[in-house]
Amino acid sequence: MLRASVLERIAIAIVSTTLALVIGAGIVALSGYDAVEFVYSLVYGAVGELSNVAFTLRQSTMLILAGVAVAVAFRAGVLNIGVQGQFVVGGFAATLAILFLAPLLPGNALVGVALMIVAGGAAVAAGGAYAALPGLMKAYADANEVITTIMLNFIASGVVYFLLDAYLRPPGAAAPNTEAFPDYVDLPGFAFGSPSFSVIGFAIALLTVAVVYVYMTQTGSGYDLVTSGYQEPAAKYSGVDPNRMIVRTMTLSGMIAGLAGALFAVMILGYYSDPNTFPTFGFDAIAVSLLAANNPLGVIPAGLLFGGLDAGGQYIGFTLDVPSELVDGVIGLIVLFVAAPELFRAAGRYTGLGGDDG
């Protein structure tokens, strides 16, 4: 997959998605359900109406940001499985910034923008600091980053829930939620008119991808990061400190994850809640990054695909009497096919239809 061209990737994605839909429809039909209605609902739920498109873009926004966070680390040869935890910590830091500063300032749109910028900065700092911990442990204590980041996911959810429930739950509130953000702390929906999606949020995700791509391809520091992932001995020979690079990479990855958390709190929730109930964007982002071959630009179509499948799958869950396990299985089949391009490249070589590596 790493050697596939852009056109090959697009063709592979279209063919594999179509093939997976055909096979999935067959499984649905064999299970006794209407396969045509299933496929129609999956597509309609993703792009059938403006509100469905908004939901697809909302999910895609989070998956693109989290996917880039994962890709940065993977590209540098570091396995950051803790994006979910950094996402939680970042969103919580953004919430604290808004809730503690808002009462001290006048309530107007300008202050709202300022609060969101401060909240974003707090989330980036918190996410980066939280990700730096496993980076330091790996670099200077030889700790396995897979284990440490997974455990830090649980620690983040547990500690944030405790603080939320013990100190931030409004008096008399039954659910472990903070009070709602002021009305002026929100991103406008513009054409979509959705209360939980804003074009600005999607633009922030795309801008982040662009910044990361430029950093990794046009700067010396980014070149060192990528080189250390592919050729660590060569990077070390050229003067790159591998331990420092690990910490820097994890910190950068966590900063992006923290920004995703801030966007989730401001754009989607409008308050903060039990992190154990949050969507698993940080874990889903691993598949998004792998599908994109850890290329920051490739994360955009991969995130859109996953966002569309998520939206379509949830629409089926609300409208059709199809077991959620079957829906998840078919969607998983699509992801599996799309993420296994070598299967189709090998088939092309075997049948003489192309697929040479060069």
Side-chain angles (χ1 to χ4, degrees):
M1 184 171 182
L2 292 174
R3 290 190 293 267
S5 67
V6 174
L7 290 178
E8 281 180 316
R9 291 170 196 271
I10 294 174
I12 288 169
I14 293 173
V15 172
S16 55
T17 302
T18 304
L19 184 58
L21 279 174
V22 171
I23 296 176
I27 295 174
V28 171
L30 290 174
S31 303
Y33 298 96
D34 189 331
V36 175
E37 186 179 25
F38 180 89
V39 175
Y40 172 79
S41 297
L42 183 64
V43 176
Y44 185 85
V47 296
E49 294 182 359
L50 191 61
S51 60
N52 296 349
V53 175
F55 188 72
T56 292
L57 292 177
R58 189 192 91 171
Q59 300 300 91
S60 300
T61 298
M62 306 311 303
L63 289 168
I64 289 171
L65 271 176
V68 172
V70 174
V72 166
F74 281 12
R75 201 66 183 268
V78 184
L79 302 178
N80 182 10
I81 314 298
V83 167
Q84 184 73 16
Q86 296 141 24
F87 166 83
V88 168
V89 170
F92 187 63
T95 300
L96 291 179
I98 293 172
L99 293 181
F100 282 95
L101 290 177
L104 307 176
L105 301 170
N108 55 56
L110 189 60
V111 171
V113 172
L115 282 175
M116 285 187 281
I117 293 174
V118 172
V124 167
Y130 200 64
L133 292 176
L136 288 167
M137 286 189 281
K138 176 178 175 59
Y140 299 105
D142 199 25
N144 187 304
E145 76 272 28
V146 174
I147 296 174
T148 55
T149 50
I150 288 177
M151 295 311 299
L152 284 169
N153 285 335
F154 292 108
I155 293 172
S157 295
V159 172
V160 167
Y161 174 78
F162 169 76
L163 296 174
L164 182 69
D165 188 51
Y167 302 107
L168 296 174
R169 183 206 295 250
N177 300 334
T178 68
E179 59 181 287
F181 298 159
D183 294 339
Y184 52 87
V185 182
D186 192 15
L187 296 174
F190 290 119
F192 290 95
S194 170
S196 62
F197 171 70
S198 172
V199 175
I200 294 178
F202 188 64
I204 290 173
L206 297 182
L207 179 62
T208 303
V209 168
V211 170
V212 170
Y213 179 76
V214 170
Y215 169 73
M216 294 178 70
T217 59
Q218 303 297 324
T219 67
S221 179
Y223 179 78
D224 290 342
L225 184 148
V226 175
T227 304
S228 65
Y230 286 132
Q231 292 290 338
E232 182 180 340
K236 190 175 181 179
Y237 182 78
S238 64
V240 176
D241 185 331
N243 291 335
R244 186 177 301 174
M245 186 57 63
I246 290 172
V247 178
R248 182 190 302 174
T249 300
M250 287 295 292
T251 303
L252 176 60
S253 178
M255 291 169 67
I256 302 170
L259 178 62
L263 209 54
F264 180 73
V266 173
M267 184 181 77
I268 296 180
L269 291 182
Y271 57 92
Y272 210 70
S273 185
D274 179 4
N276 296 295
T277 64
F278 287 176
T280 55
F281 291 124
F283 296 114
D284 298 340
I286 297 172
V288 172
S289 178
L290 292 176
L291 179 59
N294 302 324
N295 184 319
L297 295 182
V299 166
I300 295 175
L304 289 170
L305 174 64
F306 273 73
L309 292 174
D310 187 20
Q314 292 196 38
Y315 180 82
I316 290 175
F318 291 135
T319 58
L320 300 184
D321 184 26
V322 178
S324 59
E325 293 81 5
L326 184 57
V327 177
D328 293 340
V330 173
I331 292 175
L333 189 65
I334 296 173
V335 173
L336 178 65
F337 272 52
V338 174
E342 287 300 334
L343 174 66
F344 299 94
R345 290 162 64 84
R349 288 194 296 270
Y350 180 76
T351 58
L353 298 176
D356 293 336
D357 290 339

